[in-house]
Amino acid sequence: MDAPETPERSFPEGYGILDPDVLKSLSGLELLRGWSDGSLPSAPIAHTLGFHLAEVEEGRALFVGRPHWGLYNPIGSVHGGYAATLLDSCMSCAVHSTLPAGTGYTTAEIKVNFVRAISADSGEIRAEGKLIHPGRRLATSEGRITDAQGRLLAHGTATCFVFPL
Amino acid sequence: MDAPETPERSFPEGYGILDPDVLKSLSGLELLRGWSDGSLPSAPIAHTLGFHLAEVEEGRALFVGRPHWGLYNPIGSVHGGYAATLLDSCMSCAVHSTLPAGTGYTTAEIKVNFVRAISADSGEIRAEGKLIHPGRRLATSEGRITDAQGRLLAHGTATCFVFPL
Amino acid sequence: MDAPETPERSFPEGYGILDPDVLKSLSGLELLRGWSDGSLPSAPIAHTLGFHLAEVEEGRALFVGRPHWGLYNPIGSVHGGYAATLLDSCMSCAVHSTLPAGTGYTTAEIKVNFVRAISADSGEIRAEGKLIHPGRRLATSEGRITDAQGRLLAHGTATCFVFPL
Amino acid sequence: MDAPETPERSFPEGYGILDPDVLKSLSGLELLRGWSDGSLPSAPIAHTLGFHLAEVEEGRALFVGRPHWGLYNPIGSVHGGYAATLLDSCMSCAVHSTLPAGTGYTTAEIKVNFVRAISADSGEIRAEGKLIHPGRRLATSEGRITDAQGRLLAHGTATCFVFPL
């Protein structure tokens, strides 16, 4: 067998990866507002899974999505990975929104509780992340996902490591 | 604006949702072997994200995948949700593989540590889940993701709630 | 060496273990109020570590404590196990406070973030637990510990399994 | 009421807090061996709760303890905080054992699953921590507690932040 090749790089319009120099030059809030208003390319995974950053302010980020059939597990509900992805996004961005230009972060860990099954009937779901602790090196945040009726579907916490770029 | 409609149900060939009667009639290991050998429809999300169940035995499940550009975040690496999805899959299936016919489960929570960035250059990655505690009502498991060079990328634990169908 | 013996059972006045029949006959809130007002024996570990249940209502429990030198690790701060114990207490009791008589629970897992060191100078610290999701079988809660100045010291979440006694 | 005073500092023989200069001058393994062989003062909380560091090597630490009545909750089993404290200890020390002199760490978070009740009848229990990922800034570890019969009682993971002193 030939060595497997790296998959070819291509993105749908409006989605992509930021230039590292742009990343360095903007504060977290400036970046997130760029994703939210479409002036910067959004996350390719957001296209694949079907969600987008709807609102952002310092210490808070809200993603919305509409679960589709391509997210199901074979047991008949949306795979838990969808909720985990949305929570990872909103909790990480809640931290990111507080960082000045020249500061990066990485999400060290997330913890997710699944409290209600998600399905294509859940309607538009909202994943809201909020900063808990704005540490100089370690910051923490929490997130909750609710369905179109406001019922809690999943919740979680995250720990991010913050560092100079 | 009109009320948004539930997305139409359709799946790629070989992917889909199992009939609840089939689900009830098979043990966890029988089901998982059916997904692994292709005799039962696989998880639609596995098609969307690009991974599959490669090996399964009682108390252990191995998924393999090859990260593609559609999984990226805009910061330049694969979104943490991809690792979370693979870990959720392998840890839940490690528990599922131990359940007799007529027994269901739901994943109550997962905890994921991200220890190295995943990229399209990671090559084929492996997510292996193993049972820790086979409780009558609550079962726990752990999982690890490694890249093609065997380096650890992420690890986690899961708690599943087990119940009669 | 002789086989080690089971330690002799004895408790300080006001502390002890409840009769299982009493446990069964009271609702969670009745029990917790009994611990809070001193009409029922409090947790022996609360005496050992130095904390008590100060307030309780449906879906919320507040413990207060004053860290002493017997809680230190050798590195010069209070051991993280103290915060974990207080969070386990307040988060579990937040769930317990919602359960009717004849219903038991067990804490399946806790997750704790330590955000500031605790010391004997922290003064009176408060650990407040709040219900997140009141599931029929699985309930979740969160907790936060603050020092005498209101600064966040630690926070966490818990998953409890609820069952008929 | 007068303002409550800071509790007076005093420790049982063989227990105490290390001089910061000593802390800086020793590697993690040297420190832990000093606690294990009694040449350095042990953690005051280890006296209060009744456990000690029995074995240590690079990437692994084993604590043993014997649960006593002072660790009970009023529901009739040892409080989960005891297992959390032992896991915090063994998981943190597994990381600490890998650090060179002049390097400190703090435990950012722990996650604990309680899988069997602990009681005074559990006999001598063992809490073994093992390094998972030795990161330059973030290191992770796991731990398991077993009773005298080798049955699993609790397990967990930890994330530590490593920094120059």
Side-chain angles (χ1 to χ4, degrees):
Chain A
M1 197 180 104
D2 291 335
E5 294 162 41
T6 297
E8 196 185 347
R9 177 171 171 163
S10 77
F11 303 111
E13 180 159 353
Y15 295 87
I17 296 172
L18 283 174
D19 186 294
D21 288 339
V22 174
L23 257 179
K24 264 193 185 175
S25 68
L26 300 176
S27 73
L29 198 52
E30 287 167 332
L31 268 172
L32 291 162
R33 285 192 173 141
W35 290 326
S36 171
D37 67 20
S39 60
L40 290 173
S42 286
I45 198 171
H47 184 264
T48 302
L49 296 186
F51 63 85
H52 66 278
L53 175 57
E55 298 174 20
V56 63
E57 60 192 291
E58 197 172 315
R60 176 181 170 272
L62 174 72
F63 287 81
V64 300
R66 174 168 288 274
H68 57 73
W69 291 102
L71 305 172
Y72 268 63
N73 64 44
I75 304 182
S77 56
V78 167
H79 193 288
Y82 178 64
T85 302
L86 281 170
L87 284 171
D88 185 8
S89 294
C90 73
M91 299 189 299
S92 297
C93 289
V95 168
H96 195 177
S97 71
T98 65
L99 303 180
T103 306
Y105 78 97
T106 183
T107 304
E109 60 87 30
I110 60 169
K111 203 279 192 191
V112 175
N113 273 262
F114 307 105
V115 306
R116 267 194 194 86
I118 300 182
S119 76
D121 294 330
S122 298
E124 190 179 86
I125 70 175
R126 299 161 56 90
E128 185 178 37
K130 288 183 182 170
L131 186 72
I132 296 179
H133 177 70
R136 204 174 52 89
R137 286 302 192 186
L138 294 168
T140 62
S141 56
E142 65 185 344
R144 298 200 180 188
I145 299 181
T146 48
D147 69 10
Q149 274 75 49
R151 289 177 299 193
L152 186 66
L153 302 174
H155 59 88
T157 59
T159 307
C160 296
F161 173 56
V162 174
F163 52 87
L165 284 177
Chain B
M1 198 180 104
D2 291 335
E5 296 162 40
T6 296
E8 196 185 348
R9 177 171 171 162
S10 77
F11 302 112
E13 179 160 353
Y15 295 86
I17 296 172
L18 283 174
D19 186 294
D21 288 339
V22 173
L23 256 180
K24 262 193 185 175
S25 69
L26 299 177
S27 73
L29 197 53
E30 287 167 334
L31 267 172
L32 291 162
R33 285 193 172 140
W35 289 326
S36 171
D37 67 20
S39 60
L40 291 173
S42 285
I45 199 172
H47 184 264
T48 302
L49 296 186
F51 64 83
H52 67 277
L53 176 57
E55 298 174 21
V56 63
E57 60 192 289
E58 197 172 315
R60 176 181 170 273
L62 174 72
F63 286 81
V64 300
R66 175 169 287 275
H68 57 75
W69 292 101
L71 304 172
Y72 268 62
N73 63 44
I75 304 183
S77 56
V78 167
H79 192 287
Y82 178 65
T85 303
L86 281 170
L87 284 172
D88 185 9
S89 295
C90 73
M91 298 189 298
S92 297
C93 289
V95 168
H96 195 177
S97 71
T98 65
L99 302 180
T103 305
Y105 78 97
T106 185
T107 303
E109 60 87 30
I110 61 169
K111 203 276 189 193
V112 175
N113 273 263
F114 306 104
V115 304
R116 266 195 195 86
I118 301 183
S119 76
D121 294 330
S122 297
E124 189 179 87
I125 69 174
R126 299 161 57 91
E128 184 178 36
K130 289 182 181 171
L131 186 72
I132 297 179
H133 177 69
R136 204 173 53 88
R137 286 302 191 188
L138 294 168
T140 62
S141 57
E142 65 185 344
R144 298 201 180 189
I145 299 182
T146 49
D147 69 10
Q149 274 74 50
R151 289 177 301 193
L152 187 67
L153 302 174
H155 59 88
T157 58
T159 307
C160 296
F161 173 55
V162 175
F163 53 87
L165 284 177
Chain C
M1 197 181 104
D2 291 335
E5 294 161 42
T6 297
E8 196 186 348
R9 178 171 169 161
S10 76
F11 302 112
E13 180 160 354
Y15 295 87
I17 296 172
L18 282 175
D19 187 293
D21 288 338
V22 173
L23 256 180
K24 263 193 185 175
S25 69
L26 299 177
S27 73
L29 198 52
E30 288 168 333
L31 268 171
L32 291 161
R33 285 193 173 139
W35 289 327
S36 172
D37 68 18
S39 60
L40 290 173
S42 285
I45 198 171
H47 184 264
T48 302
L49 296 186
F51 64 84
H52 67 277
L53 175 57
E55 298 174 21
V56 62
E57 60 191 291
E58 196 171 315
R60 177 182 169 270
L62 174 72
F63 287 81
V64 301
R66 176 169 286 275
H68 58 74
W69 292 102
L71 305 173
Y72 268 62
N73 63 44
I75 304 184
S77 57
V78 167
H79 193 288
Y82 178 65
T85 302
L86 281 170
L87 283 172
D88 185 9
S89 295
C90 73
M91 298 189 299
S92 297
C93 289
V95 168
H96 195 178
S97 71
T98 66
L99 303 181
T103 304
Y105 78 96
T106 184
T107 303
E109 59 88 30
I110 60 169
K111 203 276 189 192
V112 174
N113 272 263
F114 307 105
V115 305
R116 265 195 195 84
I118 301 182
S119 75
D121 295 330
S122 298
E124 188 179 85
I125 70 174
R126 299 162 56 91
E128 184 178 37
K130 288 183 182 170
L131 186 72
I132 297 178
H133 177 69
R136 203 173 53 90
R137 286 301 192 188
L138 294 169
T140 61
S141 57
E142 65 186 344
R144 298 199 180 190
I145 300 182
T146 49
D147 69 10
Q149 274 75 48
R151 287 178 301 192
L152 186 66
L153 302 174
H155 60 89
T157 59
T159 307
C160 296
F161 174 55
V162 175
F163 53 87
L165 283 177
Chain D
M1 198 178 105
D2 291 336
E5 294 161 42
T6 296
E8 196 185 347
R9 177 171 171 162
S10 76
F11 303 111
E13 178 158 356
Y15 295 86
I17 296 173
L18 283 175
D19 186 293
D21 288 338
V22 174
L23 256 180
K24 262 193 185 174
S25 68
L26 300 176
S27 73
L29 197 53
E30 287 168 334
L31 268 172
L32 291 162
R33 285 193 173 138
W35 290 326
S36 172
D37 68 20
S39 60
L40 291 173
S42 285
I45 198 172
H47 184 264
T48 302
L49 296 186
F51 64 83
H52 67 277
L53 176 57
E55 298 174 21
V56 63
E57 61 192 289
E58 196 172 316
R60 176 181 169 272
L62 174 72
F63 287 81
V64 300
R66 175 169 287 276
H68 58 73
W69 292 101
L71 304 172
Y72 269 62
N73 63 46
I75 305 183
S77 56
V78 167
H79 193 287
Y82 178 65
T85 302
L86 281 170
L87 284 171
D88 185 10
S89 295
C90 73
M91 298 189 299
S92 297
C93 289
V95 168
H96 195 177
S97 71
T98 66
L99 303 180
T103 305
Y105 78 97
T106 183
T107 303
E109 60 88 30
I110 60 169
K111 203 276 189 190
V112 175
N113 272 263
F114 306 106
V115 305
R116 266 195 194 85
I118 301 182
S119 76
D121 295 330
S122 297
E124 189 179 87
I125 70 174
R126 299 161 58 90
E128 184 178 37
K130 289 182 181 171
L131 186 72
I132 296 179
H133 177 69
R136 203 172 54 89
R137 285 301 191 187
L138 294 168
T140 62
S141 56
E142 64 186 344
R144 298 199 181 191
I145 300 182
T146 48
D147 69 10
Q149 275 73 49
R151 287 177 302 192
L152 187 67
L153 302 174
H155 59 89
T157 58
T159 306
C160 296
F161 174 55
V162 175
F163 52 88
L165 284 176

